[in-house]
Amino acid sequence: MSEVQPGKMSLPCLATDYDDYSVYTCELPLRTLAPGKTYSLGVRLVPVAGAPSRDPYRPDFTRTVTVRQPEDFPLVKVRNENSRLVYNLGAPRLGGPVRSELRAGGDNEDQR
């Protein structure tokens, strides 16, 4: 289970088992979360029936997510081929800002 706080939302995980490990995946529909609010994401693994332990396993793993409004991501149109755009919503880390060369017109949606 993946747990989302605040809101006490629990989401089922899909387990994919390999020889010596398992991968758990979960989908969180962001439309169900309020924009502008920060949520904490955690994991709780519940033992299967017949397991030696009945206590859930809660790894020391917590992440946060903040849902933003669509207008926080502007659509940019350029006039000239290979125009450069320097823009980043995140804090600078490990080098300079994000750079992209954009096609003229408005067909740059795959670049956002």
Side-chain angles (χ1 to χ4, degrees), residues 37-105:
K37 192 172 190 177
T38 300
Y39 293 87
S40 294
L41 307 176
V43 176
R44 176 175 49 99
L45 300 177
V46 179
V48 295
S53 173
R54 293 184 178 209
D55 296 330
Y57 173 64
R58 294 177 191 269
D60 187 19
F61 168 83
T62 303
R63 296 293 185 264
T64 60
V65 64
T66 303
V67 179
R68 295 190 176 187
Q69 297 283 1
E71 56 269 14
D72 290 339
F73 303 93
L75 176 64
V76 177
K77 291 186 179 184
V78 296
R79 292 186 203 173
N80 302 319
E81 289 294 322
N82 300 321
S83 296
R84 290 194 174 222
L85 173 69
V86 179
Y87 184 76
N88 190 338
L89 293 174
R93 281 191 56 218
L94 305 174
V98 175
R99 293 181 179 262
S100 297
E101 289 186 359
L102 306 175
R103 295 181 296 275

